[in-house]
Amino acid sequence: MRYLPHSAAERAEMLGVIGATDIDALFSAVPKSALRGFDLDLPAHSPEFLVERHMRALAAKNHAAGDGPFFVGAGAYRHHVPATVDHLIQRSEWLTAYTPYQPEISQGTLQMLFEFQTQVAKITGMDVANASLYDGSTATAEAVLMARRITKKNKVVLSGGLHPHYRDVVKAYLKDDPDLVCLSPSPEGQGDILSQVDNKTAAIVIQTPDFYGHLRDLKGAAEAAHAQGALLIVVITEVISLGLLEAPGALGADIVVAEGQSIGNALNFGGPYLGLMATRKEFIRQMPGRLCGETVDAEGNRGFVLTLSTREQHIRREKATSNICTNSGLCALAFSIHMALLGEAGFVRLARLNHAGAIKLADALTAVAGVEVLNDTFFNELTIRVSEPAAPLVERLARRGILAGVPASRLLPGDPGVENLLILAATELTTDLDIEALTTALAEELA
């Protein structure tokens, strides 16, 4: 929308209506000491076309994900989003729709959310899913609070393979509760999380594939947790992995949370993203957020309703399961459209393409002197140890037009054990030429 300033006459007319002598009179209640006593150091005004040219010049300095070889992951992944997705979500009936405060007149939105819930429940192998949360990290924190309500216990153990940002969000939600046990980073394997489970444990939180790309043993973790009356919370940052890996629900997970960005949603400079949550039927009344259900109207026609919205905006605060105010509706719609376009066979094929690309990447990296691949198992992401600190190496590769991944030290600052670790992801968009460019440049830089 273009900026259309009011004329002096229009401003004078508005001031006259409200009885103010000038603009300054509108701020008479502000103490003089709080007012700025100097001019802002801003350039003089310019014509609109010159401002646009200036902004385009600034944007041209960026190196976008599609401008060259791209191996960045660590919780946000570059995948192909069909043009159909963006076309449909920008239709006015979707783009202008908001949270269904009057469900009876929001049948289209409710049906979409119902289908979305069905898709999420199916790929996670769980009984029920909600209508989405903000993102994967807040969904993880909500799952921890949910587990505490269900078990009436407080101790929660976070795996050393949990994404550091997710760990920090859980710590913020729990306000550094002493009953929260955060295990040290475990870049080379499962870690000792099962030894931390006792009869005071409410839940253990395991990410798979984990922050370093390893696939974790969910079945053994579920058995150990359940033996002590605890729940298993499974976290997934790369939801496309569910097209190839066995569903967490089939392996004993009690709550599954995920970041849904990989389906239908671009990187978007870090957001908005999409939190997924699914659980077992017996825990449905402790699940935060919204749940859409199917019913029939008075004439027997199929319809949809908003049900079990146990958030504090709907019920008494002390009875609420969460203060989540809304769901990521437009991102959930994009997810649902993309998933419907893929279908079950397409989703599996997409996952296989990702895994095949990662195998090629791992094989090529193994042949580079000064590089050690740490993963025995992975989906589309893996960690390597290089012969020098990874962060400056990544900067040098970026200057060569290659975005070579995420140094673990960037997300775990101050941890000397991860200084030489580099996390790389390969998706269906990663080509053989991309891998060749990376390994050639990497070999030259390490030499």
Side-chain angles (χ1 to χ4, degrees), residues 334-409:
F335 178 101
S336 191
I337 292 172
H338 192 181
M339 188 65 79
L341 290 170
L342 286 169
E344 184 173 351
F347 185 50
V348 172
R349 182 168 179 266
L350 177 60
R352 291 189 182 280
L353 287 172
N354 275 256
H355 185 52
I359 292 173
K360 290 181 180 179
L361 176 62
D363 289 344
L365 288 169
T366 301
V368 178
V371 172
E372 176 191 3
V373 177
L374 301 186
N375 301 67
D376 293 324
T377 60
F378 54 83
F379 171 63
N380 71 348
E381 194 163 26
L382 51 91
T383 298
I384 62 174
R385 178 180 285 116
V386 291
S387 55
E388 61 177 79
L393 174 63
V394 166
E395 293 298 325
R396 297 201 304 274
L397 290 169
R399 288 194 289 270
R400 298 175 65 153
I402 299 170
L403 300 183
V406 179
S409 60

Side-chain angles (χ1 to χ4, degrees), residues 151 153 155 157 193-204 220-232 254:
T151 63
K153 295 187 285 188
K155 181 180 175 182
V157 185
I193 187 169
L194 301 187
S195 67
Q196 301 289 328
V197 183
D198 56 31
N199 59 11
K200 296 180 180 179
T201 304
I204 58 175
E223 292 172 353
H226 296 160
Q228 296 289 347
L231 303 184
L232 171 61
D254 299 293

